[in-house]
Amino acid sequence: KEMSLLGMAHRTAYVLQGAISHVTHLLEGYIEGLNSRRPAVFNIYAVCQTEHGVADDSAVLQSRMAVESRAYPLFRYNPDKGTTPEECADLEGNPALDADWPVYRLDYIDEHGTPASLQLPMTFADFAITEGRFRKHFRKAPSETWNDDMLPLNEFIDLDQTGRDGRYPYIWAVDKANHLIRVLVSAELVKATTERRDFWRTLKFLAGADKGAGRRG
């Protein structure tokens, strides 16, 4: 359930969707919401290390990745700023506003033992693979099985069903030796990644942030 959109639908409530990793955005939203003299909804992403399957000291890092992967975009809605969603909503603090996905750098060791890196989209699946709760949705593809029917996930989800037939979505990752690997993504993760991309596009439309900008990351 998108609690922030539900709160926005009331039109008269202040809404903050924030994360513990973005302290300035969080504090500014709290102050603005508490000073608005309106009903206020504060919807904040925080990590439960045990339930999410992450290290005890990774709460801030995981929260940051949740924002960057569009799993949990930052969002504010202030009815005091106008009458339309475009006037009242803003996405300040989110990375790469013009793109579906921000870009991150994946460092690895190539087959010659030389440090190398790739610039990759930070999709929802790239966030999910870092948490134990999603482990069953990924499967490593041995290098000898790599073929042209495999497609990066961000490209796969932009295809219609006909284009997807016979293709296998994957994301890049590294193994324990820091060597580059392909990780196949389950159908459920494909749906979740598509849904998060579409939700991000919805927020951009409501906030007027997609005008004159490309929709593809």
Side-chain angles (χ1 to χ4, degrees), residues 154-212:
N154 64 301
E155 297 178 21
F156 181 87
I157 64 173
D158 282 334
L159 299 175
D160 59 21
Q161 189 55 53
T162 300
R164 293 182 180 188
D165 289 345
R167 309 302 294 270
Y168 301 92
Y170 71 90
I171 61 173
W172 292 108
V174 293
D175 61 17
K176 292 181 179 180
N178 213 35
H179 294 148
L180 199 62
I181 59 174
R182 289 182 180 183
V183 184
L184 299 177
V185 178
S186 72
E188 290 84 357
L189 249 295
V190 170
K191 291 179 181 177
T193 302
T194 304
E195 191 277 332
R196 288 294 83 191
R197 179 203 64 186
D198 293 348
F199 178 59
W200 171 244
R201 290 179 177 179
T202 296
L203 288 181
K204 286 176 63 177
F205 173 79
L206 292 173
D210 60 349
K211 293 183 177 179

Side-chain angles (χ1 to χ4, degrees), residues 36-214:
S36 67
R37 298 188 178 182
R38 293 176 174 275
V41 177
F42 301 115
N43 190 22
I44 312 303
Y45 187 89
V47 180
C48 178
Q49 289 89 340
T50 302
E51 293 295 327
H52 292 186
V54 300
D56 289 342
D57 61 351
S58 66
V60 172
L61 174 62
Q62 294 302 123
S63 294
R64 183 180 299 113
M65 286 196 293
V67 173
E68 292 175 352
S69 65
R70 314 305 192 198
Y72 209 87
L74 304 180
F75 178 67
R76 284 188 287 194
Y77 179 81
N78 186 351
D80 292 325
K81 292 187 175 181
T83 57
T84 67
E86 183 176 343
E87 292 172 320
C88 300
D90 79 68
L91 299 175
E92 179 187 351
N94 288 288
L97 282 173
D98 292 344
D100 283 336
W101 312 108
V103 173
Y104 79 102
R105 191 179 78 177
L106 179 65
D107 295 319
Y108 67 97
I109 303 298
D110 68 16
E111 64 272 20
H112 305 296
T114 304
S117 65
L118 288 175
Q119 298 293 319
L120 299 170
M122 174 60 82
T123 71
F124 174 74
D126 291 272
F127 158 70
I129 199 173
T130 68
E131 299 199 347
R133 56 179 170 153
F134 297 111
R135 187 172 294 118
K136 66 180 182 180
H137 295 288
F138 298 96
R139 180 165 59 88
K140 178 183 176 181
S143 57
E144 61 270 19
T145 68
W146 294 7
N147 59 74
D148 292 339
D149 290 330
M150 294 180 178
L151 197 66
L153 177 61
N154 64 301
E155 297 178 21
F156 181 87
I157 64 173
D158 282 334
L159 299 175
D160 59 21
Q161 189 55 53
T162 300
R164 293 182 180 188
D165 289 345
R167 309 302 294 270
Y168 301 92
Y170 71 90
I171 61 173
W172 292 108
V174 293
D175 61 17
K176 292 181 179 180
N178 213 35
H179 294 148
L180 199 62
I181 59 174
R182 289 182 180 183
V183 184
L184 299 177
V185 178
S186 72
E188 290 84 357
L189 249 295
V190 170
K191 291 179 181 177
T193 302
T194 304
E195 191 277 332
R196 288 294 83 191
R197 179 203 64 186
D198 293 348
F199 178 59
W200 171 244
R201 290 179 177 179
T202 296
L203 288 181
K204 286 176 63 177
F205 173 79
L206 292 173
D210 60 349
K211 293 183 177 179

